Amino acid sequence: MTRTRFLLAFAIVLAALPQLPVPEFWITQANYIGLYALVVIGLVLLTGVAGLTSFGQAAFVGLGAYTAAYLAVTHGVSPWITVWVGLVITGVAAMLLGWVTLRMSGHYLPLATIAWGLSLYYLLGNIDALGKYDGLLGVPPIRFFAIELNTGRSFFYLLWALVVLASIAVTHLLDSRTGRALRAVRGGSTMAEAMGVDTFRVKVTAFVLAALLASVSGWLFAHFQRTVNPSPFGLKMGIEYLFMAVLGGVGHVWGAVVGAGMVKILEDQLQVWLPRLLGGSGNYEIIVFGIVLVAVLQYARDGLWAFVESRLPRRERVVDWADAPALPERERPPHGEVVLDVQAVRKQFGGLVAVNDVSFQVCAGEILGLIGPNGAGKSTTFNLVTGVTAATRGEVRFRGERISGLPSREIARRGVSRTFQHVKMIAGMTVLENVALGAHLRGRHGVAAAMLQLDRGEERRLLREAERQLRRIGMAAHLHELAGNLALGSQRLMEIARALCADPSLLLLDEPAAGLRHQEKRALADVLRQLRGEGLSILLVEHDMDLVMGLTDRVVVMEFGTKLIEGTPEQVQASPAVRAAYLGTEH
Ligand code: ADP
Ligand code: MG
């Protein structure tokens, strides 16, 4: 069964369900599953994709639900207006909360969402106008043109239409420029920022989107139950949403539906069977959920959907970008212009001077080698130039402009691109997508355009560029492989293609040939020569001396953070000080 047929079958079953003579209870269940799935789709985006854990989604559901219920009950406002009011209120709340907490390091967000989930619950329960813990009664049903959605079966269609639309929109989003940026923030921000992604903004976006989906679920919830009270919006439910996401497969949009379905059905069955088995009453199902969660995390980390998906035929990406127009290119600096000017930069880590007042320049159309024993400070120098770490003192200029102190992504925007000594990539994304991330700054479409697929023209151009750079570096055979499955040497080449996708004026390569075979090294050297011929400047850290000496125009040698010597490859090779540094002999 192909993927499309699978989804079609799902849609047909869905559409037919309310028409069949199934018990009303089934429809009610399906409606709850849909309501939960909407929230969990948001969590997939937030937790599964962006790697941010939230226990507070139930509170956002509450905001949507209470807004709808209050406005309808006390002011008779139409649901078709209250849904937007709810979205605005939730969006603003999420933005403020995200703004405050997402700047802090990882663990603050889960804690903040717990605090937020708890406080909203007590707040709702203590406001007189909202009926305190009794809540608001008599919420009218939603009217869809002339149809009053006052039965489970009629409500089902509106709800599931929204679930399917949300799934499709989020799937589209993940398959876009913004989607790649979202996936890139998961493993830390260094690489994403080096590709020009504003990681803070991306995180806030994911947080707000997840909250908005929760708000819509709340709106539907209020009109489905026809009453609201604080209990479904407390922390317990917040945890349960996260549980659904993890169980279904936190990285997959359809995992949200599976997870919501599993938890709802399991919960009902357990509530029936456990008291019979164990005698007496109590919330025994919570204990079973805890055990299941541990088992899932232990044995099926990616959740149930990953299991289903591995049995579906793999989606081969249709190449529709072959004839897309090329992206515009940056104007290259004139040959010989000083592109990078490093002036006495210093970096201390506590008492350790990793880079000790080092100065050098790189000109347009030149390859400068940066060599030295392990721990000499080469990678740290890269980090100082690219804004990953702040210099203790000194200054870096790029094309005459001071760039030290700028964030990484701003330096990238000016035309500096790099690779990492320890490969930084998104292992679960294809090689092509990883490389397309490098072209982030050459696109401009955002969330809405991606969800509505108005970005396809631009997307084709970005993918065409990614493919072109991969071909150039000799990786044409690996476009659709998962990056994590590549050999280490190929991963390094992929990083170079990604850096080239940014159309840089200055390229920094940190040990690009490590793990490459002899043939691959020669091919790499050819590509670098060709790039130099096109006017690119390259700063190359490399341990393979044949490669360095055969390729570079000049070489800077570092030892213990200090610049030892600078000169042509011949001069450097003849230097007794360099021999001493490498062989460890006294000079
Ligand atoms: P190289 O790339 O030349 O092998 P590095 O620049 O990685 O050297 O490291 C230079 C020195 O700085 C090493 O002694 C290393 O242990 C130290 N160092 C690098 N990064 C950090 C850090 N974030 N904190 C503390 N020490 C660091
Ligand atoms: Mg290094």
Side-chain angles (χ1 to χ4, degrees), residues 335-353:
H335 192 88
E337 181 196 290
V338 175
V339 173
L340 181 73
D341 190 2
V342 176
Q343 299 173 356
V345 290
R346 183 181 190 84
K347 181 67 193 179
Q348 282 176 237
F349 294 109
L352 175 84
V353 184

Side-chain angles (χ1 to χ4, degrees), residues 372-382 420-422 510-511 541 543:
N374 276 325
K378 307 178 296 294
S379 294
T380 307
T381 304
F382 266 36
F420 295 88
Q421 182 180 347
H422 304 287
D510 202 344
E511 305 194 16
V541 167
H543 283 302

Side-chain angles (χ1 to χ4, degrees), residues 432 435-436 462-471 501:
L432 185 78
V435 172
L462 296 178
L463 291 176
R464 175 184 180 273
E465 176 70 1
E467 177 173 353
R468 187 171 79 95
Q469 299 299 351
L470 278 163
R471 280 191 189 284
C501 252

Side-chain angles (χ1 to χ4, degrees), residues 44 244-256 259 301-306:
V44 163
M244 293 175 199
V246 172
L247 188 69
V250 81
H252 305 266
V253 172
W254 296 104
R301 220 149 229 292
D302 299 327
L304 296 172
W305 182 257

Side-chain angles (χ1 to χ4, degrees), residues 443-507:
R444 56 176 187 84
H445 283 302
V447 172
M451 285 183 159
L452 299 170
Q453 295 225 305
L454 301 174
D455 63 339
R456 291 297 97 178
E458 176 185 281
E459 181 70 4
R460 276 195 287 277
R461 298 178 78 181
L462 296 178
L463 291 176
R464 175 184 180 273
E465 176 70 1
E467 177 173 353
R468 187 171 79 95
Q469 299 299 351
L470 278 163
R471 280 191 189 284
R472 162 179 236 174
I473 207 89
M475 298 249 321
H478 302 285
L479 300 186
H480 305 290
E481 264 174 59
L482 291 185
N485 293 347
L486 292 180
L488 189 61
S490 305
Q491 291 178 346
R492 291 187 175 286
L493 293 177
M494 177 183 76
E495 276 209 333
I496 299 174
R498 186 179 67 197
L500 288 174
C501 252
D503 185 29
S505 306
L506 173 67
L507 180 64

